[in-house]
Every structure is written in structure tokens, then in C-alpha cells.
Amino acid sequence: MTIHRIADLLRTGQPDQSINIQGWIRTKRELKEFTFAEVNDGSSLASLQVVINQDVPNYAEVVRKLNTGASVEVSGVLVPSLGKGQRIELKADAIAVHGEADPETYPLQKKRHSFEFLRTIGHLRSRTNTLGAVFRVRNACAHAVHQFFQQRGFLWVHTPLITASDCEGAGELFTITSLNLKDLPRTENQEIDFSQDFFGKRAYLTVSGQLEAEIMATAFTNVYTFGPTFRAENSNTSRHLAEFWMIEPEMAFCALDGNMTLAEEFLKFVFKAVLETCPEDMEFFNQRIDNSVLETANHIIDSEFERITYTEAIALLEKADRTFEFPVSWGLDLQSEHERYLAEELFKKPLIVTDYPTEIKAFYMRLNDDEKTVRAMDILVPKIGEIVGGSQREERLDVLERRIKAAGMPIEELWWYLDLRRYGTVPHSGFGLGFERLIQFMTGMTNIRDVIPFPRFPQSAEF
Ligand code: 4AD
Ligand code: MG
């Protein structure tokens, strides 16, 4: 028996067509002569309306079981719908109820629930309109990411999740160990002896695949990663997760300009693709979550991103008609209040800030001739702030060695990274895009915890 997807039926289903669907009941409306039920299978925001006449086998018993959340299989014939809001509906011949859902206890009844509440029922919240739309957009967006890079001949490389190096040098690493925590081996100085651990040294969950992506770019020219990354930053904000997905392209023979251009083309491409594949879901966000979602998307697609240097950004912030919580001066690491002021209020569109102070950026970024700034670029967008962080990489061996030492990084452990500068070194660049921040930006969802199915954040690893 062929099972039809509700999304396909709503788009192309024809009257008199015999069909079978499977899904979960969203609502039921019992009238005297017959009953309406809305069935949703997750393929689209809209549900299929099913009309159940009394001649359906076991009518009374079936209808009694059709509560919100129950799983059903329905066969019948499509008919033109007389009601508003749908072109066709399904006239049921037979209904099988697989699993009931007790209306006394099933938490998702037909009212609006807060996102905070929905987070406490992470195992059920994907069955709601909003989370359903989010995860369909997330899927479309992931597909578009691969399309974009594959069309341009980039190789998708799989970088390790377990690593021994701290790419960002920010010390936000989760250690992984198989040592017996009740009886840790100690060195002479009473430090934990990781040489007895699984990998013979201390290992972590990766914060970024960049360093390995650089290895692969010096063999394949253009590569990208798309995978989970982990950060133990104790940031309880609406833009931080402890586990998030990152997209990191890395390009050999590419300076910062090419990097910025790629990032801009990339964002335009994915917005366009998602508007094309998920028009209903995007319309829903625009109506129910944030009424600037569609305008923003079209703006991203049509307008050129602004480009300014960090030094220019500081000058603009100093001129701003307000006081910031973090006072502005050259050398300050831009905080989200500054980023949002620039993108949201001043430029009202994405902007790329380049050439940040050396002290506030990672060791691998290419040193400018002024020795005070590096070839970094961050893309800032309204509502979110930083969505992309990238740079041209330091390709000069001597300068890189100097930077690693200055950053206090263990230079012996980065021997392979330095080898890339010893053998066939090349100007190269890349960036990292936080996938959840992108989905947040696209959908207008205010909390990053609601754009990943199972969010991990301080004090929470549920489901
Ligand atoms: O700016 P970040 O730390 O850059 C890197 O990791 C580089 N290695 C990227 C590269 O050049 N290949 O992180 C990149 C992006 C940020 O701009 C942000 O969008 C996202 O990753 N991000 C987070 N997203 C959610 N939760 C967090 N805790 C995040 N930290 C960074
Ligand atoms: Mg950054």
C-alpha cells in the first residue's frame, strides 16, 4: 500500500484520487452527522482535513479515540473541500488508530504554549506548528549549504570531533576521558596524569574543525566542514549553545576579500533556497513569530553587505548617541550590544567588520603590516550580532611561530600545523558560520534553544 505524504497531497492531490495517509491528530471536531479531524504527518505546516462519516467502520469507537496526539492511518478518497482554508479534503473509508493519546495527560492541547514550557517537553515539542516549521527550515537550510558548496566544487571534509588541540585558544573545551574518576592517576606534582588516559594525552571535544580543514585545503584547494562543535562557555544567553553546528569553508589561494565575497554569496544563496523550498513555513514565521522575517530575507538577497574596518566601527560606536554597558574604546572586544547597534540601528543590514586588534583574536589570523591588527572578518546581522567569524590565515612560518608563542600555545603540539607553512604554504582563508544562529536569523526565533532539536546549555542536557 502506498502511503502519501500530506505535503504532496495538499499541493497536487486531485479529487477522486484514492489515498492512504499516516499521521497524528491535531484537532477533532465532532458534529451530529460526522466528524472532522486534522491529520499532520510533519511533511508540512498544514494538516489534511479528514471527514469521517458515520458509515466508517466502528464510527463511534474510532471517533472516541481520535484525540489530539493520537496516531492514525486513514484510507479514503480526496474530495473538493467546501470549507475555507483548504482546496481538498479526505473522505475517510477506514481509519485505524495505532496509539491513543489521553486528553487528560497529553501536554499538547490546542492552546498556545510558551517556548519555555515546550523546552520541558523536548520529546513532544516537534509536533507543534512552530517547532515543526523550524525543523523543516533547518533541514532545507542544511541541504542548501551542501548545494552551495558542491556546485562550486568544494569538498566536504569530515574533521574529528575528538581532538587534542584548542583551535580557538579560548580554553572553552570539554575534556573527554575514560579515566576512573573515583581514582584519578596523578603525576609527581599531583596533576592528573593524562598519559594514562585513553589517548595517552588529554583530549577534548572539538570547538572548531578549522585547523584540520586547513590541512585538507592544502590538498584539495577548496573544502568545507559541516558538523557539531562544542564549547564549555558558561554563557546563559539566547545566542549560545554548548553543542552547536558549524559550517567552515577553507580556501587555498584566497585572501580576505575572496573570503568575504564567498560568505556573502553563501548567505544570499541559502536564504533564497529556503524561501523557495519552505514558503509556507517562512510565511508562518512572518505572521506568528516576527513580522520582519520576509523583509529581512529579501533584504539579504537583494542588498550588498556593508564592509568596514574595526577601527571605523569603533569610531562609529564612539559617536553613537547612547551609553553602552561596555564602554567603547579601541581594543575592546565588540559585545553583542555594539554588534547589534551597528547592524540593527546604524546600517540596518548585515555588515562585515574587518581587521580586528591582534590581542582579541585567535593566533592563526594573518598579522597586518601595522602589527596591531589581524586580517579577521566578522559578519554582524540585525537581532543576532555575530553570525560569521573568519579570517585570512597566517601563512608565514616565522610570523606564525611568533604568534603561537605570544599566545602561550604549546608550539610542539602544533608541529603539523607549522608543517603546512613549511611545505607548499599558500595564502588561505576561511570562516565559520554558526548554523543555529543562521536558523535563528532566518526564522526570527528569539532563543537559540528553539532552533536545535535537543539543545545543550549550562545545567541542561535533557532528552
Ligand atoms: O567566531 P568563532 O569562534 O570562529 C571559529 O570557530 C573559527 N575557527 C571559524 C573559522 O574561521 N573557520 O565561531 C564561528 C561562529 C560564530 O560566528 C557564531 O555564529 C558561532 O560560530 N558560534 C556559536 N553558535 C552557538 N553557540 C555558541 N556557543 C557559539 N560560538 C560560536
Ligand atoms: Mg567569533
Side-chain angles (χ1 to χ4, degrees), residues 118-123 454 456 461-463:
L118 290 177
R119 261 172 247 142
T120 68
I121 50 164
H123 58 309
F454 308 105
R456 268 82 184 96
E462 292 302 307
F463 311 105

Side-chain angles (χ1 to χ4, degrees), residues 29-61:
R29 208 151 38 97
E30 264 181 276
L31 305 177
K32 258 212 200 89
E33 317 278 291
F34 56 93
T35 296
F36 283 122
E38 297 274 339
V39 178
N40 191 287
D41 64 1
S43 61
S44 67
L45 186 68
S47 302
L48 185 62
Q49 174 156 289
V50 179
V51 190
I52 309 147
N53 288 319
Q54 293 190 353
D55 54 6
V56 162
N58 306 320
Y59 178 80
E61 191 195 337

